[in-house]
Amino acid sequence: MKILGSTALYGVIGYPIKHSLSPLFQNRLFEHVGLDAVYVPFEVSPDKLRTALEGLKALNVRGINITIPHKEAVIEMLDFVKEDAKSIGAVNTVKFGERTEGYNTDWIGFLRTLKEVMDDVKGKKVLVLGAGGSSRAVLYALEREGAQVFLWNRTKEKAEKLSEIFRVEVVPSPEEVISSVQIVVNTTSVGLTEDYQIFDYELIQEGQVVFELVYGRDTLLKEWAKRRGAIYLDGLRMLVYQGLESFKIWTGCEPNPKVAFQALEERLN
Ligand code: ATR
């Protein structure tokens, strides 16, 4: 990588940011497309978010990804927020220019990953576990595709709040619908912080799609999905696909997914 006077700057801000894989594949994409640009991580604490955005603008940074915990808070600091990001209530991509624009590409990454294993999501029955920030991107994508969604959350009130925004049926327990759905999506942090069976994993069926948003972990859900003959997906492909969409928004170039996956494979193996 050559950094010149003309090199355009991109990056990702989060807190913490050390474990982000985005710089790895975004830089490879810039290189592959032949753009004179670099992508760097910025660790920004929540109380510095506004100052950081102003600084990035002043430094003529072209675009950034936004990750935890800033995706919601950044919205009110932007000049323009695209409709889908507004509905989801979170922005993961910012483009700087005449105005500072916010986009959400998480839901696109989710859908593209899902569509690698099924042609159509329309009419499919889906159980979504969790009603936090990432659940909203998933619910937005599924509603857009015309899926029939059942939503479960440990704190039922939060699921009910989301049912006022998205077309979902709140269920009192995952067990109630698990045997009748084609897809199960785990958006909770179970598997990340602590790991236990959110429902009786023996009820997972052969051929069901089990999609877990965390990645790079041998979770109980992953173990059971495989044992039961389900199709297991995790958040890694979603991470890459959301990043490819961000890249497109910033540069107008259509990057090659294989290049990004190759960069990650080299690192993770
Ligand atoms: P994210 O942005 O990753 O979605 P979040 O907004 O903090 O993170 O949401 C975390 C989700 O994981 C919530 O649905 C949360 O359930 P509650 O609303 O009941 O807190 C869920 N979650 C976290 N720990 C959990 C646990 N031990 N068991 C079940 N659900 C859990």
Side-chain angles (χ1 to χ4, degrees), residues 74-87 89-91 93 99-104:
V74 76
I75 288 192
E76 60 163 45
M77 302 172 192
L78 306 170
D79 302 322
F80 163 84
V81 179
K82 204 175 162 209
E83 217 45 54
D84 50 5
K86 270 191 205 159
S87 302
V91 157
T93 305
R99 57 180 192 177
T100 308
E101 301 178 342
Y103 300 86
N104 187 299

Side-chain angles (χ1 to χ4, degrees), residues 30-61:
F30 280 124
E31 214 172 294
H32 187 255
V33 172
L35 284 172
D36 177 15
V38 288
Y39 183 105
V40 294
F42 297 107
E43 186 164 85
V44 175
S45 60
D47 59 314
K48 299 273 169 43
L49 179 60
R50 193 178 286 275
T51 316
L53 272 189
E54 286 307 314
L56 292 167
K57 247 188 287 185
L59 292 167
N60 196 24
V61 169

Side-chain angles (χ1 to χ4, degrees), residues 130-134 153-155 158 187-190 194 196:
S134 45
N153 193 51
R154 176 179 62 177
T155 313
K158 269 163 87 180
T187 77
T188 74
S189 46
V190 174
E194 49 178 330
Y196 66 96

Side-chain angles (χ1 to χ4, degrees), residues 80 109 133 135 241:
F80 163 84
S135 175
Y241 287 136

